[in-house]
Amino acid sequence: MGGDGILGNRDSKQSKGSIPRRRKWVKRRETWLVILGVILHAVYMLSIFDIYFKTPIVHGMDLVSPRFSAPAKRLVLLVADGLRADKFFEPDSEGNFRAPFLRSVIKNQGRWGVSHARPPTESRPGHVAIIAGFYEDPSAVTKGWKANPVEFDSVFNRSRHTFSFGSPDIVPIFCGALPHSTWNTYPHEFEDFATDASFLDEWSFDQFKSLLNRSNEDPQLKKLLQHDNLVIFLHLLGCDSNGHAHRPFSSIYLNNVKVVDHIAERVYNLLESYYKDNRTSYIFTADHGMSDKGSHGDGHPSNTDTPLVAWGAGIKHPKPISGRDHSDHVLRFVDEHLHDTPTPEEWGLNGIERVDVNQADIAPLMSTLLGLPCPVNSVGNLPLGYVDMKEEEEVEAVLANTKQILNQFLRKSQIKRSSSLYFKPFKPLAHYSSMLSQIEDLLSARDYKAAMQLSENLRNLSLKGLHYFQTYDWLMLMTIITLGYIGWMVFLVVHVLQAYTSLLGDIYTKEEAVRQKYNTGKVYLWGCLFMGITSFLLFLEHSPPLYHAYFAMTIFLWTQIFNEHQFIKALWRHLSGRKFNYVIKLLTTGVVSVFILEFLVHSFTERKLYTWCFLVVGAIASIYLYNLIPWRSGIPVFVCLTCWFLSLFTLMPAEIPDNNKLVIASGVIITLIGFTAKWLDLHADGNKYWLGICTHDMKQSRFPMLFHLQALMVGLSSVMVFLSTSHRTEKQELHAIHQLMNWFLAGFSMVLPLFSDNGLLSRLNSIFLGFAPTFLLLSIGYEAVFFGALALVLMAWILFENLLPYLSKGKTSSASRKNLNEHIFLENDVRYLQLSDVRIPLTFMVLFNVAFFGTGNFASIASFEISSVYRFITVFSPFLMAALLIFKLFIPFMLVMCAFSAITKLLQVQRLGCYFLVILFSDVMTIHFFFLVRNTGSWMEIGNSISHFGIVSAQVVFVLLLFALTNIYTKDIQIRSANPASRKVM
């Protein structure tokens, strides 16, 4: 009889004695397959560091000594961490400007503009761009922007001495290993988000002021302060901390803008009265901005646009607006914002020339002002709009900047040439030496305009050359990794067909098995030979160890596939012999699966697709059920309403607005859902549509009061949301007793589901109530309601799957049912996978992705709302805060995974077989995202495309980890049914 098995008949001819041997083989194979999958995805995920996150830093270049006199003896760098450009320049509600001193500087003494930061707009990469002149190696994100992945040069390194005061997260990066520096930082405990953090800025100023006062009694310090090439760096963290805690529209943040302006004024007055020589340059800027919800990290203008004000020695004076065609302009800035963007009217600066820069341009500016060599890894262009020098010196300064970038290009070219068997040079710079000679000739002839133009052209070519070598191996790596993913997917399909369907016994004879064993040695020999040749060639090219791993993984997978060539041939013969309508059914399933996966791919960038998805699915599912079961059961209406309810959340803003009343109300909603589920669990006796998931025929509960305890804890968590938030808002601190109570509720509630009844509905209800207190305490708005809505949809999914045996019961004859009962089961009442079972992993993936994106954009750095953890901790602790945020994101996944595990038990399918199908579908998306990864456009677009690839690629580990965690809660779930035989007929 034709069956519905995945490419196989259900009436397998295997003997009962062969089943235990088969299961041992499957268990051994799936163990190493899981290990292989984890290793493969981990190795291939690392490829993005070789392709897109490759460090731009090279060593071994010579310094380019400037051939002009330094305009300044010392330079002051003031960085207001987290200061937005618009909040700095715009007036307050009363029409007064928040930075009166720096506005007077803009109008009377110096130059101004907007400094454009490149994402990730975080503190460390922002400061590296300002002080070292290059955009941070993104691999540093794995180290929290703290430890130096590689040593790099900076303006501080080139100075005679650097004085630095500020945050313990920033100052030690640049001064910790610098012998010619004097620095100090405040303790980490000072960074408390529950207070007004402007005192941190005052601390930095007081440290500097006391240094100058101490010099009057310390002759050595006095002498040191009189040297040239000094750098003074004050890191002002107040705006960043206050922006996170209170938002950039708050009075505390806006008042902090006045504080940093006042500090800039006092630093200026202090130094001018101390030195009295007019040889000090001042630069005021910020490392990044702040979004409206108090976060940063992405490429939104509120995060990338920062103020820049420069004045003092070597800085041009204000200039009325004239032509907009500046020689240092390119088409776009690093954040993709256009040049010559109109200045907002409310800033009141339309009559004064504005000179915008890339953030990395500030480093060569500081080096030029002090007459120092540019940092050797800097990629910044000297902004001539700020520098007040003679025309000849301007050309010399730009030429020094050009030579420094050219040296990086030449060093990268030399390194690649020395290690490549076939080297492809960057042709536009093949004659760079003649271009340098031509510039020197023009300088000798005093043709400064032509020399300037040629120097800038050479600089732009050098930057393109750096990009060329940064992406030199891109095509080769993309090809080998794509082949590796395809090989993994093919091998996964072969394993699922062999291990979890009846196909192996149907088409694979003993003779073929013997022939397969005979040919195995030849296949492995050729595979090893090819791998050896490839490794030898990579060794000759001095390729990184990971290159060897990429090739080895891909060759190994395809060797395994060729090793199964007899099975693949037999499979092809089997399909060729099937009826045409079955092939059509198979192709239709494949097309629908690909359509759903492509839908999920596009949902990563457009959350609203889920709204349409659940509106349509809710309507179709309810109509389908309405025609097959009595309407009085209420199940069709329940399925429709829950899907429509969940569809609302992906219409809501990704930036979750604060709404504590909604969080508290969510506690009531969650409790009502729990009581309803408990009532149905106890009073559904006799209703066959609830039969498999209820506990009405099970023994007396071990802990009768457990449910009421869990409901009480949900209520207490709602109360604690109100108390701890109100107290922190009023007193500007988190009360210790509230903090302890919140930790207790979160921890204790998650243990209770382990002691609940092991009926399906009873256990899932207990898990839902067990994770609710933790989720409520970590919620700030509508995501608390999403938790209940997701649980209702999961319940609708379980009900739908529970009904399928009864819907298909009448379609299957008793004779075929008897035949199926004998042959379609593997062991322990776990049956073979059928073609129709593809719906289970596909539905799981849709709900799993809704858990990702239902309440925001998981793929964006800025979506991590730090205020979510303020009921547990307010003192800055990045690892603990990140752990709490990640655990909050885990909780919806835990619900989805528990429902998935329960359904596999309900339908008696192999959970690990479904897991492999999930990974197979995830890798279809992974390959798509791998081709969607961008190396052009804004860094935000590039970063988002890489994060999408990383998310789906990590699902092999992520889903496996969730399997292990949820198995603690779901392993002893028992399914009750009055007629087990009917349940086996799918």
Side-chain angles (χ1 to χ4, degrees):
M1 166 179 175
D4 192 26
I6 296 180
L7 304 179
N9 293 326
R10 293 188 288 190
D11 50 342
S12 172
K13 304 296 188 295
Q14 293 183 86
S15 66
K16 293 182 179 180
S18 67
I19 291 179
R21 292 195 301 272
R22 175 189 173 98
R23 291 310 303 154
K24 287 180 181 179
W25 168 78
V26 169
K27 286 179 180 178
R28 283 198 305 270
R29 188 169 182 179
E30 68 192 11
T31 299
W32 78 260
L33 194 62
V34 168
I35 295 170
L36 175 66
V38 171
I39 295 172
L40 178 138
H41 286 80
V43 169
Y44 283 177
M45 279 182 68
L46 291 175
S47 68
I48 63 175
F49 290 94
D50 283 316
I51 299 172
Y52 302 100
F53 285 3
K54 196 172 182 179
T55 176
I57 296 175
V58 288
H59 299 286
M61 293 85 67
D62 295 328
L63 293 172
V64 180
S65 300
R67 301 185 298 193
F68 55 87
S69 56
K73 289 185 66 176
R74 67 201 68 87
L75 180 136
V76 178
L77 174 63
L78 304 171
V79 178
D81 201 308
L83 177 57
R84 277 170 57 156
D86 57 347
K87 299 305 170 191
F88 175 78
F89 290 118
E90 70 186 16
D92 58 23
S93 57
E94 298 176 359
N96 300 318
F97 291 100
R98 302 185 184 98
F101 168 71
L102 289 171
R103 286 188 70 84
S104 69
V105 167
I106 292 170
K107 292 182 176 181
N108 304 308
Q109 288 179 264
R111 307 307 300 271
W112 77 285
V114 171
S115 170
H116 295 267
R118 191 181 83 167
T121 43
E122 300 286 348
S123 293
R124 174 185 165 113
H127 282 88
V128 168
I130 293 168
I131 300 168
F134 72 94
Y135 299 104
E136 176 69 287
D137 170 17
S139 64
V141 73
T142 61
K143 302 188 179 182
W145 307 124
K146 293 182 180 297
N148 283 348
V150 290
E151 293 300 323
F152 55 82
D153 193 19
S154 72
V155 176
F156 294 178
N157 292 20
R158 300 293 143 214
S159 68
R160 185 183 296 268
H161 200 88
T162 294
F163 301 92
S164 180
F165 305 101
S167 166
D169 297 320
I170 296 300
V171 171
I173 293 174
F174 301 96
C175 299
L178 196 64
H180 55 278
S181 65
T182 301
W183 58 279
N184 196 11
T185 64
Y186 39 78
H188 277 286
E189 292 73 28
F190 280 25
E191 301 176 34
D192 190 342
F193 291 119
T195 62
D196 181 354
S198 60
F199 78 94
L200 300 176
D201 301 343
E202 295 289 352
W203 183 95
S204 298
F205 172 75
D206 291 340
Q207 290 288 310
F208 175 61
K209 183 178 179 181
S210 66
L211 177 81
L212 292 184
N213 292 336
R214 198 165 64 249
S215 70
N216 295 322
E217 302 170 359
D218 186 344
Q220 286 189 329
L221 180 58
K222 183 81 171 179
K223 183 179 179 181
L224 181 61
L225 285 166
Q226 295 301 324
H227 284 302
D228 58 358
N229 296 338
L230 295 182
V231 175
I232 298 159
F233 171 47
L234 297 188
H235 177 250
L236 311 174
L237 186 65
C239 287
D240 184 73
S241 295
N242 284 328
H244 284 312
H246 309 289
R247 308 294 188 271
F249 288 92
S250 66
S251 59
I252 293 177
Y253 179 91
L254 298 176
N255 181 68
N256 210 144
V257 180
K258 300 177 182 178
V259 171
V260 295
D261 177 74
H262 189 42
I263 288 173
E265 181 179 17
R266 284 182 286 168
V267 168
Y268 173 72
N269 293 332
L270 201 61
L271 285 171
E272 292 304 305
S273 62
Y274 186 87
Y275 286 109
K276 301 185 178 69
D277 61 357
N278 295 322
R279 294 293 306 279
T280 307
S281 298
Y282 302 87
I283 292 179
F284 176 90
T285 188
D287 56 344
H288 56 75
M290 184 73 63
S291 71
D292 291 346
K293 66 172 186 174
S295 62
H296 53 82
D298 62 20
H300 191 274
S302 62
N303 289 328
T304 61
D305 290 0
T306 61
L308 175 62
V309 182
W311 74 102
I315 304 293
K316 288 179 179 176
H317 280 69
K319 179 181 175 183
I321 285 185
S322 56
R324 291 181 176 271
D325 185 22
H326 300 291
S327 60
D328 59 316
H329 277 192
V330 289
L331 291 178
R332 289 176 182 269
F333 291 104
V334 290
D335 58 358
E336 284 292 284
H337 298 164
L338 291 171
H339 279 271
D340 301 320
T341 303
T343 301
E345 291 287 340
E346 60 268 22
W347 290 9
L349 297 171
N350 284 326
I352 305 171
E353 187 179 61
R354 163 183 167 181
V355 184
D356 287 8
V357 301
N358 288 322
Q359 197 170 60
D361 299 343
I362 298 174
L365 172 62
M366 293 192 291
S367 297
T368 300
L369 293 172
L370 290 172
L372 299 171
C374 288
V376 293
N377 292 113
S378 170
V379 294
N381 295 332
L382 175 64
L384 291 174
Y386 285 85
V387 181
D388 186 16
M389 300 169 72
K390 298 176 183 177
E391 187 178 13
E392 178 184 358
E393 291 181 326
E394 280 190 357
V395 179
E396 289 286 3
V398 171
L399 181 58
N401 183 203
T402 299
K403 287 179 177 178
Q404 169 265 322
I405 296 174
L406 179 63
N407 282 350
Q408 291 182 71
F409 163 80
L410 294 175
R411 179 60 178 156
K412 287 195 173 187
S413 178
Q414 178 190 358
I415 292 171
K416 184 55 69 175
R417 183 188 296 273
S418 65
S419 63
S420 296
L421 296 176
Y422 175 68
F423 177 70
K424 295 177 289 183
F426 183 65
K427 293 180 180 179
L429 280 177
H431 304 290
Y432 72 91
S433 55
S434 62
M435 297 175 72
L436 286 174
S437 299
Q438 188 178 354
I439 293 171
E440 294 293 345
D441 292 340
L442 291 169
L443 283 172
S444 300
R446 298 182 182 276
D447 189 351
Y448 300 127
K449 185 175 181 180
M452 177 71 78
Q453 185 175 1
L454 195 55
S455 295
E456 290 179 337
N457 289 341
L458 180 56
R459 182 176 63 188
N460 292 334
L461 284 176
S462 299
L463 289 169
K464 290 178 181 178
L466 288 177
H467 178 73
Y468 171 79
F469 285 113
Q470 193 74 13
T471 59
Y472 188 86
D473 295 328
W474 183 81
L475 181 60
M476 178 266 291
L477 290 175
M478 289 285 285
T479 302
I480 197 66
I481 289 163
T482 301
L483 285 173
Y485 273 117
I486 293 173
W488 162 255
M489 291 165 58
V490 171
F491 189 53
L492 211 56
V493 170
V494 169
H495 172 71
V496 169
L497 292 177
Q498 290 180 342
Y500 300 107
T501 73
S502 60
L503 189 62
L504 189 64
D506 291 337
I507 69 173
Y508 211 39
T509 64
K510 284 185 177 181
E511 291 77 12
E512 288 172 326
V514 171
R515 199 180 309 126
Q516 172 81 348
K517 189 174 181 180
Y518 176 76
N519 290 327
T520 295
K522 289 183 179 180
V523 174
Y524 281 133
L525 179 63
W526 282 106
C528 291
L529 183 63
F530 186 53
M531 190 180 295
I533 294 171
T534 305
S535 297
F536 180 70
L537 293 174
L538 291 172
F539 178 78
L540 290 179
E541 289 204 339
H542 305 287
S543 297
L546 278 175
Y547 283 31
H548 292 262
Y550 304 148
F551 277 88
M553 277 287 181
T554 302
I555 294 170
F556 174 77
L557 284 168
W558 283 100
T559 301
Q560 293 293 325
I561 292 168
F562 284 121
N563 194 37
E564 299 286 350
H565 69 282
Q566 293 290 353
F567 174 80
I568 295 171
K569 286 181 182 178
L571 174 63
W572 177 255
R573 289 196 301 269
H574 177 75
L575 285 177
S576 301
R578 296 302 297 267
K579 293 181 179 179
F580 182 72
N581 63 343
Y582 182 76
V583 176
I584 292 295
K585 185 178 181 181
L586 185 64
L587 290 175
T588 302
T589 303
V591 169
V592 171
S593 300
V594 171
F595 174 80
I596 293 172
L597 295 174
E598 287 300 303
F599 167 85
L600 293 177
V601 167
H602 288 91
S603 71
F604 273 61
T605 53
E606 186 55 65
R607 293 169 60 234
K608 292 180 182 178
L609 287 174
Y610 287 115
T611 298
W612 292 105
C613 171
F614 282 99
L615 286 174
V616 172
V617 168
I620 292 176
S622 60
I623 293 171
Y624 176 73
L625 294 175
Y626 187 78
N627 291 326
L628 295 170
I629 63 175
W631 65 270
R632 285 189 296 272
S633 67
I635 293 176
V637 176
F638 175 76
V639 170
C640 182
L641 292 180
T642 54
C643 288
W644 287 3
F645 183 35
L646 188 65
S647 71
L648 299 175
F649 291 91
T650 44
L651 291 175
M652 296 183 182
E655 297 182 355
I656 301 172
D658 286 354
N659 192 332
N660 281 309
K661 292 181 179 178
L662 191 59
V663 177
I664 294 166
S666 299
V668 178
I669 295 171
I670 289 169
T671 306
L672 289 175
I673 293 172
F675 271 104
T676 304
K678 183 68 175 177
W679 185 87
L680 288 171
D681 194 27
L682 296 175
H683 297 86
D685 192 13
N687 189 334
K688 65 179 181 178
Y689 302 116
W690 292 81
L691 203 59
I693 63 175
C694 295
T695 60
H696 60 275
D697 60 343
M698 296 179 67
K699 62 182 180 180
Q700 183 66 28
S701 174
R702 293 176 295 169
F703 303 97
M705 298 304 294
L706 179 64
F707 170 78
H708 299 90
L709 176 61
Q710 288 189 288
L712 177 64
M713 295 194 76
V714 174
L716 282 175
S717 64
S718 296
V719 173
M720 292 310 301
V721 166
F722 173 76
L723 290 177
S724 53
T725 305
S726 301
H727 187 272
R728 190 178 65 83
T729 304
E730 294 173 5
K731 304 292 185 180
Q732 296 295 309
E733 64 179 357
L734 180 63
H735 202 291
I737 189 66
H738 294 165
Q739 189 176 11
L740 289 172
M741 190 68 180
N742 291 341
W743 279 103
F744 170 76
L745 284 172
F748 185 63
S749 64
M750 291 185 292
V751 178
L752 295 179
L754 297 173
F755 304 98
S756 64
D757 296 335
N758 55 7
L760 189 148
L761 181 58
S762 179
R763 176 58 60 89
L764 292 183
N765 189 33
S766 183
I767 292 170
F768 168 66
L769 293 175
F771 283 98
T774 309
F775 198 80
L776 288 174
L777 290 167
L778 287 168
S779 297
I780 61 169
Y782 71 79
E783 79 270 35
V785 186
F786 170 80
F787 179 78
L790 179 65
L792 290 173
V793 167
L794 293 173
M795 193 65 246
W797 181 28
I798 292 169
L799 282 172
F800 185 87
E801 295 290 351
N802 185 54
L803 290 172
L804 290 182
Y806 304 103
L807 301 181
S808 61
K809 182 178 178 181
K811 301 177 183 179
T812 309
S813 68
S814 59
S816 66
R817 194 177 307 141
K818 180 180 178 182
N819 184 47
L820 292 172
N821 289 343
E822 291 178 358
H823 297 294
I824 70 169
F825 284 84
L826 290 163
E827 62 175 4
N828 298 329
D829 286 338
V830 177
R831 61 179 175 81
Y832 285 128
L833 287 173
Q834 312 297 315
L835 187 59
S836 59
D837 291 330
V838 170
R839 74 184 184 279
I840 302 170
L842 285 174
T843 306
F844 166 79
M845 290 195 66
V846 172
L847 292 169
F848 198 73
N849 280 273
V850 168
F852 265 116
F853 299 105
T855 58
N857 181 6
F858 187 87
S860 172
I861 296 172
S863 289
F864 292 88
E865 180 53 67
I866 198 170
S867 62
S868 298
V869 305
Y870 287 168
R871 299 187 188 104
F872 293 92
I873 184 173
T874 58
V875 175
F876 183 66
S877 176
F879 293 106
L880 181 57
M881 287 178 164
L884 287 169
L885 285 171
I886 291 171
F887 187 72
K888 175 189 175 183
L889 296 170
F890 258 67
I891 292 175
F893 304 146
M894 296 283 283
L895 290 188
V896 176
M897 190 62 72
C898 287
F900 178 68
S901 298
I903 284 173
T904 58
K905 285 179 176 287
L906 188 69
L907 300 181
Q908 297 169 294
V909 296
Q910 181 65 262
R911 190 171 71 157
L912 202 56
C914 290
Y915 163 74
F916 285 127
L917 289 177
V918 168
I919 299 309
L920 174 66
F921 293 143
S922 294
D923 284 330
V924 173
M925 296 172 61
T926 301
I927 286 187
H928 192 137
F929 280 122
F930 196 60
F931 284 106
L932 289 179
V933 170
R934 300 185 54 176
N935 66 341
T936 57
S938 73
W939 209 96
M940 179 183 68
E941 293 168 328
I942 296 171
N944 279 345
S945 65
I946 291 173
S947 65
H948 295 160
F949 164 69
I951 285 171
V952 293
S953 186
Q955 285 192 12
V956 66
V957 180
F958 192 46
V959 174
L960 191 65
L961 176 63
L962 287 173
F963 262 132
L965 290 174
T966 55
N967 193 52
I968 299 171
Y969 293 97
T970 61
K971 63 182 178 181
D972 58 346
I973 287 179
Q974 295 182 10
I975 306 298
R976 290 288 183 265
S977 177
N979 185 10
S982 68
R983 301 197 57 77
K984 296 177 183 178
V985 183
M986 305 304 296

